[in-house]
Amino acid sequence: MTTKIAVLGSTGSIGTQTLDVARMHGIKVTALTANRNIELLEKQAREFSPDMVCVLDTGAAAQLKIALKDTNIDVYCGEQGIIEAACEKSCDTVVNAIVGVAGLLPTLAAIDAGKNLALANKETLVAGGSIVMRAVKEKGVKLYPVDSEHSAIFQCLQGCPEGSLKKVILTASGGAFFGKKRWELENVSVKKALQHPNWNMGAKITIDSATMMNKGLEVIEASWLFDCRDEDIDVLIHRESIIHSMIQLKDNAVIAQLGVPDMRIPIQYALTYPERLPSPTKELDLTELTNLTFYKPDYDTFQCLAICRKALRKGGLYPTVANAANEVAVDLFMKEKIKFLDIASVVSDEVESFGDDRKEITLDDILSADKETRRRIKEKY
Ligand code: NDP
């Protein structure tokens, strides 16, 4: 079991819930990082007394340095500072709860420093799955999924013989607009898209859930974590978010993991694996549930899911491009510069027009495909 963690993105939804788990089980926190929320970071630093904290924003870091001058905590800034946090020498596990592809280099740095990873930052695997999984293997570190679906699959697989997996069944809540058709989504507001039925999460992943890009990213994430092809991964809409995902084995037995929708269960499992410790979450009372429903996804309305599947089949840099396009498009939508349905169009345009079919790719290829995609879209809007 993990005893010392560095939490990258500690001020976000996953980051704060990770600290709940650390608080409950007395896990030592050695480093904390944020983008610019220094009020919360200072509070966390005073409670957990890490060796270091880092803020991406230089101005905010200078302010935090002054605020923490009565402590022994070192204050770093910038991308390099976050990488230092990922390599902090005394921690054994790095929890990567950064949002977006900004999490990729810290992930690689943590692996290179021999740290185990509790990975929430799915964009790391979508953009750089091949190099991340290779580095994990070469360094012999462990990668524990935090995403609830992938944690569910990981939990279901415990005790299954190698080679017995036939299919992964990823469940999806369907997001804010389940059941709607394209014409009904033409003018939806940012506020409406941010209303997730079951989970309280950061803004980007909530929009990704509304477009179902999130499930597309998760299909790609699952392909790397469980060594599956696109056709081995089913997506099933399950509105209640009680079954967090399932596996189907070669004999057609289906194993599911159930629980109340609370991220502290998968976060804790990633930190305490293989132990099962008491959790601050509510017990699941099946008699309170009137119904568990399942539907096929609507690929015509929620086109991001189909685009991600296509990017996965094309391989190479296509998932990197899909991810970068989505990050920019979501930002443009939240700034009300494009409409909701434009998110899928932006991602689709980039994937369809991308012509680099190389399968063997390097970190430099990934970083430059990410940068170029962002540049192209920003030029248009
Ligand atoms: P949030 O937006 O709530 O938090 C993101 C964290 O990352 C914050 O600490 C933020 O700092 C920091 N951050 C933002 N931008 C950068 C950057 N460019 N460089 C470094 N740090 C940055 O996100 P979530 O917690 O919702 O999601 C985090 C990751 O976990 C995502 O990849 C998401 O897909 C995944 N995930 C989230 C789930 C959830 O329930 N929330 C469920 C499953 C997966 P600041 O606060 O200062 O902005």
Side-chain angles (χ1 to χ4, degrees):
M1 183 181 139
T2 294
T3 55
K4 290 181 186 165
I5 56 174
V7 187
L8 314 182
S10 65
T11 50
S13 159
I14 294 289
T16 49
Q17 294 179 86
T18 300
L19 294 179
D20 283 350
V21 172
R23 187 181 294 115
M24 178 160 179
H25 296 297
I27 298 171
K28 164 93 178 117
V29 177
T30 64
L32 296 166
T33 79
N35 181 18
R36 58 164 64 92
N37 184 353
I38 50 170
E39 269 168 45
L40 181 54
L41 193 59
E42 180 187 346
K43 232 170 119 196
Q44 294 177 339
R46 290 190 181 280
E47 179 183 351
F48 289 93
S49 302
D51 299 323
M52 66 167 289
V53 294
C54 177
V55 193
L56 186 66
D57 183 89
T58 318
Q63 277 176 268
L64 186 62
K65 203 165 191 162
I66 296 168
L68 287 176
K69 69 174 185 302
D70 60 320
T71 70
N72 293 327
I73 303 168
D74 292 329
V75 180
Y76 289 65
C77 76
E79 283 170 16
Q80 193 49 40
I82 294 179
I83 286 174
E84 298 283 339
C87 303
E88 204 286 324
K89 61 181 180 312
S90 59
C91 83
D92 48 58
T93 300
V94 171
V95 180
N96 188 343
I98 291 174
V99 62
V101 80
L104 176 60
L105 292 180
T107 294
L108 290 168
I111 298 169
D112 198 45
K115 310 292 181 191
N116 291 331
L117 267 171
L119 189 65
N121 177 250
K122 62 189 82 183
E123 296 89 347
T124 274
L125 284 178
V126 173
S130 57
I131 55 167
V132 170
M133 296 313 284
R134 195 185 314 135
V136 163
K137 213 167 161 189
E138 280 169 10
K139 280 281 170 182
V141 299
K142 301 275 183 244
L143 197 174
Y144 299 113
V146 167
D147 220 346
S148 59
E149 293 79 358
H150 304 75
S151 172
I153 294 159
F154 179 61
Q155 293 178 58
C156 291
L157 281 168
Q158 299 305 309
C160 294
E162 221 183 301
S164 57
L165 180 66
K166 180 174 173 185
K167 211 195 271 182
V168 157
I169 305 168
L170 280 180
T171 53
S173 70
F177 302 128
F178 169 74
K180 301 266 189 252
K181 292 291 165 202
R182 280 181 70 78
W183 64 268
E184 294 172 277
L185 298 179
E186 267 163 21
N187 291 312
V188 295
S189 64
V190 174
K191 196 170 160 213
K192 276 262 180 308
L194 282 171
Q195 285 164 6
H196 195 281
N198 305 333
W199 298 96
N200 186 8
M201 310 182 284
K204 191 247 175 195
I205 185 175
T206 308
I207 302 294
D208 285 348
S209 297
T211 59
M212 288 204 70
M213 181 75 187
N214 183 48
K215 212 46 57 179
L217 299 175
E218 287 180 8
V219 168
I220 301 172
E221 184 185 10
S223 78
W224 288 114
L225 286 171
F226 308 111
D227 195 16
C228 296
R229 298 162 307 166
D230 172 52
E231 55 269 39
D232 304 327
I233 306 169
D234 281 358
V235 171
L236 189 63
I237 307 290
H238 166 51
R239 287 300 279 163
E240 297 77 18
S241 298
I242 294 296
I243 297 180
H244 297 302
S245 276
M246 303 177 242
I247 56 170
Q248 185 167 337
L249 300 173
K250 292 235 165 100
D251 58 2
N252 289 340
V254 175
I255 305 180
Q257 187 259 327
L258 285 73
V260 292
D262 188 320
M263 284 307 295
R264 290 173 300 179
I265 297 175
I267 292 170
Q268 178 168 304
Y269 193 59
L271 298 182
T272 64
Y273 176 86
E275 304 297 330
R276 295 287 190 171
L277 302 186
S279 158
T281 57
K282 263 182 35 189
E283 277 183 27
L284 174 64
D285 181 351
L286 287 166
T287 62
E288 270 182 12
L289 301 170
T290 49
N291 213 357
L292 291 181
T293 55
F294 304 98
Y295 308 89
K296 286 186 179 161
D298 174 354
Y299 283 93
D300 292 331
T301 304
F302 299 97
Q303 295 180 347
C304 286
L305 181 52
I307 300 163
C308 284
R309 281 191 175 283
K310 180 166 188 179
L312 172 59
R313 288 192 300 275
K314 299 273 283 176
L317 291 165
Y318 283 84
T320 311
V321 169
N323 179 68
N326 180 60
E327 286 191 28
V328 183
V330 169
D331 187 52
L332 289 169
F333 171 67
M334 287 204 284
K335 290 176 177 151
E336 299 183 337
K337 291 187 177 162
I338 62 172
K339 292 187 167 191
F340 182 75
L341 292 177
D342 295 335
I343 298 175
S345 309
V346 169
V347 180
S348 175
D349 286 351
E350 289 301 317
V351 170
E352 295 297 345
S353 62
F354 190 67
D356 184 342
D357 287 337
R358 263 177 303 165
K359 298 286 179 225
E360 288 300 313
I361 53 171
T362 64
L363 177 59
D364 281 347
D365 297 332
I366 291 167
L367 297 178
S368 88
D370 177 83
K371 197 170 156 195
E372 267 304 296
T373 306
R374 288 167 194 270
R375 188 193 57 73
R376 269 194 306 273
I377 302 169
K378 282 179 188 156
E379 251 174 35
K380 283 188 213 159
Y381 296 95

